[in-house]
Amino acid sequence: TFTENSRNQRKQQIAEEMVETADDESKMEAAKLAEQFLSEDLPEETFSSPKAGNGMWASQIRILSPIKQETLEIIKFEQNEAAFSICVCQFNNSPVPGLTYIVVGTSRDLSLAPRQCSGGFLYTYR
């Protein structure tokens, strides 16, 4: 899937292509349709999210408070960075004993067949 930023860029590109591919007589009508296309926001719950194709990923994590039952933070990763693992841990050499961290493992430019990627990352959140 696409990140929100990549989705907006793709939508802009499609609108520009609508105008560019129209013949001279239809340019004004195509420009109006492109403007309408850009202003229209279709709910993903009803129409699904746009499919980005093989090797395109969009990931985010939501950190929740189980006690307060609320979202503490939403962290969105860059386009083509996929989150695959997450754990909660404590480090022995932490400056504050007992402090809990979240470690997230991601992969960059992942392809499932054949399985390959351009890199991987570990992000640590406090």
Side-chain angles (χ1 to χ4, degrees), residues 10-123:
R10 180 67 181 129
K11 199 171 182 180
Q12 181 66 40
Q13 181 184 6
I14 290 170
E16 290 170 2
E17 289 173 1
M18 289 170 70
V19 176
E20 289 173 6
T21 58
D23 58 20
D24 290 337
E25 295 175 9
S26 305
K27 284 244 190 251
M28 292 298 286
E29 187 176 330
K32 289 178 185 176
L33 287 172
E35 186 177 320
Q36 182 181 5
F37 172 72
L38 288 173
S39 65
E40 200 169 28
D41 188 25
L42 302 174
E44 289 186 5
E45 302 82 33
T46 305
F47 295 98
S48 183
S49 60
K51 305 300 181 234
N54 293 337
M56 298 286 284
W57 299 90
S59 289
Q60 72 178 20
I61 59 172
R62 179 184 304 262
I63 301 172
L64 304 170
S65 168
I67 296 168
K68 295 180 181 178
Q69 298 181 348
E70 65 183 18
T71 298
L72 299 176
E73 190 168 357
I74 295 175
I75 300 166
K76 296 181 180 184
F77 295 99
E78 293 183 24
Q79 183 70 49
N80 295 339
E81 189 170 359
F84 280 100
S85 59
I86 188 167
C87 74
V88 178
C89 64
Q90 295 180 348
F91 295 107
N92 290 335
N93 62 351
S94 176
V96 180
L99 191 61
T100 301
Y101 294 87
I102 296 172
V103 180
V104 179
T106 67
S107 177
R108 168 67 94 190
D109 300 321
L110 177 71
S111 174
L112 294 177
R115 188 171 292 268
Q116 61 185 19
C117 69
S118 66
F121 305 94
L122 291 174
Y123 294 99

